[in-house]
Amino acid sequence: MGKPNSQKGKTAPFLKSGKAPDPTNPDDLPPAFSFEKMQDASGHSFNCCQDDDRLHLAKRIFMLSRMPWKQIRGASAKGLGSEEIQKFRIKPPVPSAVTDDVTSFISLHYVGKKRFVGYRVGQIFYVLWVDHSFKVYNHGS
């Protein structure tokens, strides 16, 4: 069996104050992740990754789901933070379920320099691509 879960019984950091987040401000809430708009077999889907990438992605999603959006936005893009990617920089086709009013995407780190990319509506983060091969957008230097 694997090693014991060190997270068991720990309270999410944003809840330690004993004060509940403001439900009217999605920035005070953690992301709720959705894969419903991800296109399977696109080369950038969850099922297109190796098992170790899927494991790292799941661990990162778990970690981020315990932080409020405002903390994620304020963190370094090379760590737990995010990076805004303009729509024109995205190389694969944008899924048809994504409406035209979405003009930029959010890139989040999951392991090494690998990212997962999607967009946010309120508290929900729609994951569209897992950029395990660095082909979703130009990562620069």
Side-chain angles (χ1 to χ4, degrees):
M1 199 95 193
K3 52 186 193 179
N5 184 349
S6 62
Q7 294 290 325
K8 191 173 184 177
K10 288 189 177 182
T11 302
F14 66 97
L15 292 177
K16 286 187 179 174
S17 68
K19 183 174 111 178
D22 177 0
T24 61
N25 184 355
D27 277 354
D28 289 337
L29 299 171
F33 293 94
S34 172
F35 289 83
E36 71 180 275
K37 297 181 182 187
M38 178 179 278
Q39 295 179 321
D40 199 14
S42 65
H44 308 290
S45 74
F46 189 80
N47 289 332
C48 295
C49 298
Q50 298 293 319
D51 286 345
D52 60 335
D53 276 324
R54 286 194 291 259
L55 174 63
H56 288 294
L57 180 60
K59 285 181 175 182
R60 182 52 54 117
I61 285 173
F62 177 77
M63 185 183 302
L64 291 171
S65 70
R66 302 175 65 79
M67 299 170 60
W69 271 112
K70 64 183 171 189
Q71 186 179 355
I72 294 168
R73 273 197 345 271
S76 166
K78 294 182 181 189
L80 291 173
S82 63
E83 176 184 4
E84 184 177 357
I85 308 296
Q86 294 301 311
K87 191 174 192 175
F88 70 87
R89 290 183 55 202
I90 299 294
K91 295 176 182 177
V94 175
S96 60
V98 178
T99 57
D100 289 336
D101 61 326
V102 177
T103 58
S104 64
F105 296 97
I106 299 170
S107 173
L108 296 163
H109 164 267
Y110 74 94
V111 67
K113 294 184 178 184
K114 296 178 180 181
R115 314 286 283 185
F116 61 106
V117 183
Y119 68 102
R120 177 183 166 191
V121 177
Q123 183 182 4
I124 301 172
F125 183 78
Y126 293 96
V127 182
L128 299 176
W129 304 284
V130 180
D131 199 7
H132 59 94
S133 59
F134 307 106
K135 294 181 180 174
V136 172
Y137 68 96
N138 183 353
H139 291 251
S141 43

